[in-house]
Amino acid sequence: MCLGIPGQVKSIYEVDGIRMGKADFAGIEKEVCLAYVPEIQVGDYTIIHVGFAITQLDEASAQESLRLFSAMGVLNEELGHPAQP
């Protein structure tokens, strides 16, 4: 499976001229590419698909999606972390 997961942008920086950042996914932090969403700022939520931010969304929608993914048991799987007991 390969879902687009909502994450909150925690930091923004450049790597070799490419806009990158750190995003938090319900406590799991990952590096993401922000090149496709130049309007994203620190604190905003975005959908991340295979390491790329693809669209901005509001906090309520992001939290609901994270809750549903977690309840389905796919959040840790999608983020490359083992399931919690």
Side-chain angles (χ1 to χ4, degrees), residues 49-61:
H49 181 65
V50 293
F52 290 85
I54 57 174
T55 191
Q56 186 174 357
L57 76 159
D58 62 273
E59 183 176 4
S61 296

Side-chain angles (χ1 to χ4, degrees), residues 3-57:
L3 300 173
I5 306 289
Q8 183 180 32
V9 177
K10 294 297 188 177
S11 63
I12 297 174
Y13 49 90
E14 283 195 17
V15 175
D16 297 327
I18 298 170
R19 194 165 187 250
M20 301 291 290
K22 293 281 184 180
D24 180 89
F25 304 89
I28 300 169
E29 195 168 287
K30 297 271 190 177
E31 184 175 54
V32 298
C33 179
L34 301 172
Y36 298 134
V37 286
E39 70 280 5
I40 291 289
Q41 300 297 316
V42 171
D44 289 344
Y45 284 83
T46 181
I47 297 288
I48 310 295
H49 181 65
V50 293
F52 290 85
I54 57 174
T55 191
Q56 186 174 357
L57 76 159

